[in-house]
Amino acid sequence: MDLYLMFHSVLMHVAAALVVLVYIPLSMPVKLFLWAFVKPLRKESLRGKVVLITGASSGIGEELAYQYAAQGACLALVARRKKALEGVAAAALERGSPDVLVLPADVSDADQSRRAVEETVAHFGKLNHLVANAGIWSSCSFDEVTNITAFTKMMDVNFWGSVYPTYYALPHLKASKGKLVVSCSAAGTVATSRMSFYNATKAAQLRFYETLRAELGSEVGITVLTPGYVESEITKGKGIQSGGDVAVNEEARDEQIGVFPVGRVAELGEVAMDGIRAGDWYVTWPSLFRPLQLVACLAPGVLDWACRALYGTRKGARPPLGKRIMEATGMKRLFPEALRRNPAIKTEDEEYCDGEEGYGAADDAAAAYLLQCRKGL
């Protein structure tokens, strides 16, 4: 048995060496040629296609709705906040979407995810793209947590909130030879300090969709977005606090972002849409996070040292080094204007939800609520 294991160990090391020394150098010119000359000619036309977007009431989901609208796609917008969705729907219509469906739902609940997909297909007759974008954040050290059970909500939203709609949408996406777009994070591969739960949920999400890509082959395309810090409610400081409540904590936000820039969500949307239409497997933006992913893979000790240097602190000591650098250099002034001038977040819609549970807390009449937005209405 030892000889058998040794044989396979040698075989895998040789195979890995061949990939690094032979396959990658030979394939790079081909990939560069395809990227420069072939992909621009084969970008997917989205006019008239049906796109369901979760977490569409703000941030990246909202911006992707506008990007799809500008391409002439019909939209089904899903989130817990009804009034915020209505505002996004109206703006999407102005940007060129021929038809927008608003579906208040909490995608961390399997039944509500199923109903959102069914309502979309019943209305439009098909589904071409699913954008799994719903998510929630947290920034605190693990030993600062005082209500550990509250953080199960993060896995419910970040992981199952993508998997549930994917499960119910998959038969329709197979029928249309459609596409899954997953809003993951660079945190799925670059595990920085103070985000243990968030990093774990994004790593789980990333590995799930990479596995699903291998299982589905060419039946359904999968594009995974792995952005760094981008203007959204997360970079406004909204997240699960150490005590388990969801609130805005700008101090924790500043300690987490530190020396890193925050990109404009409109720029991410443009880059993401280009990658989605081209069928890219991954879209990482801002681009500075690409080498960080490489460092995390090839030199994890360097990443560990950087995390200790930038985020390490002791109780009663000065703020983390990253935050001190931000304050000393005035880097916060480089935040996107919308983040500096409008730090408020969209509030929960009291007509729609009762606390954090959203759709499931409403009565049957509210649960059946469906708003159809059309041009001219």
Side-chain angles (χ1 to χ4, degrees):
M1 178 61 97
D2 290 342
L3 185 61
Y4 178 76
L5 292 175
M6 183 180 297
F7 169 76
H8 280 81
S9 177
V10 172
L11 184 65
M12 290 306 298
H13 280 80
V14 171
L18 289 174
V19 169
V20 173
L21 300 176
V22 179
Y23 170 76
I24 292 178
L26 291 179
S27 66
M28 286 304 292
V30 176
K31 290 182 178 180
L32 183 60
F33 174 81
L34 293 174
W35 175 79
F37 299 104
V38 177
K39 278 193 173 182
L41 302 176
R42 300 181 60 184
K43 287 187 178 180
E44 180 183 4
S45 173
L46 298 172
R47 187 162 300 280
K49 292 194 173 180
V50 176
V51 182
L52 189 158
I53 304 176
T54 69
S57 61
S58 66
I60 294 173
E62 178 181 357
E63 179 58 34
L64 289 176
Y66 300 152
Q67 293 290 333
Y68 273 107
Q71 296 293 325
C74 299
L75 304 177
L77 305 180
V78 179
R80 293 182 302 116
R81 295 173 292 192
K82 183 182 71 177
K83 287 184 178 178
L85 282 179
E86 291 173 353
V88 176
L93 289 169
E94 292 178 358
R95 285 165 169 78
S97 179
D99 195 0
V100 181
L101 196 64
V102 169
L103 297 166
D106 180 354
V107 291
S108 67
D109 179 271
D111 187 56
Q112 294 177 49
S113 293
R114 174 185 58 79
R115 291 162 64 181
V117 171
E118 289 177 352
E119 292 280 7
T120 300
V121 175
H123 179 76
F124 293 108
K126 63 179 180 179
L127 179 61
N128 299 103
H129 284 203
L130 168 65
V131 180
N133 174 74
I136 193 167
W137 187 57
S138 177
S139 175
C140 63
S141 297
F142 180 70
D143 59 3
E144 294 175 353
V145 172
T146 58
N147 183 4
I148 188 68
T149 58
F151 286 82
T152 59
K153 182 66 176 176
M154 187 167 292
M155 182 62 82
D156 291 340
V157 176
N158 292 359
F159 181 74
W160 291 110
S162 296
V163 173
Y164 288 147
T166 296
Y167 178 78
Y168 293 111
L170 200 53
H172 306 288
L173 296 175
K174 286 182 177 180
S176 65
K177 289 289 183 180
K179 185 170 293 181
L180 278 163
V181 180
V182 186
S183 187
C184 190
S185 170
T189 53
V190 183
T192 54
S193 301
R194 299 177 55 83
M195 297 199 299
S196 52
F197 293 107
Y198 183 76
N199 293 341
T201 61
K202 289 302 179 179
Q205 185 188 42
L206 177 63
R207 296 308 180 218
F208 174 83
Y209 283 98
E210 288 177 331
T211 304
L212 189 60
R213 181 190 287 132
E215 293 177 357
L216 295 175
S218 61
E219 283 188 281
V220 177
I222 298 180
T223 295
V224 180
L225 310 181
T226 54
Y229 294 116
V230 177
E231 59 176 313
S232 67
E233 291 188 347
I234 284 177
T235 49
K236 288 181 178 180
K238 180 183 178 182
I240 301 178
Q241 307 303 307
S242 59
D245 57 313
V246 177
V248 176
N249 187 335
E250 291 188 28
E251 182 178 353
R253 183 272 313 271
D254 291 348
E255 291 181 358
Q256 190 64 53
I257 293 177
V259 299
F260 292 99
V262 178
R264 291 177 55 249
V265 71
E267 290 186 47
L268 170 64
E270 293 172 2
V271 173
M273 182 52 59
D274 187 65
I276 291 166
R277 293 181 61 206
D280 291 347
W281 281 15
Y282 302 95
V283 175
T284 301
W285 190 89
S287 57
L288 69 94
F289 286 90
R290 293 175 187 167
L292 286 180
Q293 292 172 335
L294 187 64
V295 169
C297 177
L298 300 180
V302 173
L303 179 64
D304 180 76
W305 172 84
C307 286
R308 292 173 184 270
L310 292 174
Y311 298 109
T313 185
R314 296 177 181 176
K315 292 182 178 180
R318 293 183 298 173
L321 177 62
K323 184 182 179 183
R324 282 184 276 141
I325 293 175
M326 172 193 281
E327 293 172 344
T329 59
M331 290 177 62
K332 201 169 181 180
R333 292 176 299 178
L334 301 178
F335 279 9
E337 184 176 356
L339 209 62
R340 290 182 285 110
R341 295 185 180 276
N342 184 26
I345 61 172
K346 298 179 181 179
T347 58
E348 296 295 332
D349 189 338
E350 294 180 356
E351 292 179 10
Y352 162 59
C353 67
D354 179 14
E356 285 299 312
E357 295 306 317
Y359 200 26
D363 59 20
D364 291 340
Y369 177 82
L370 179 66
L371 174 65
Q372 177 182 341
C373 296
R374 283 197 177 94
K375 285 185 176 179
L377 294 182

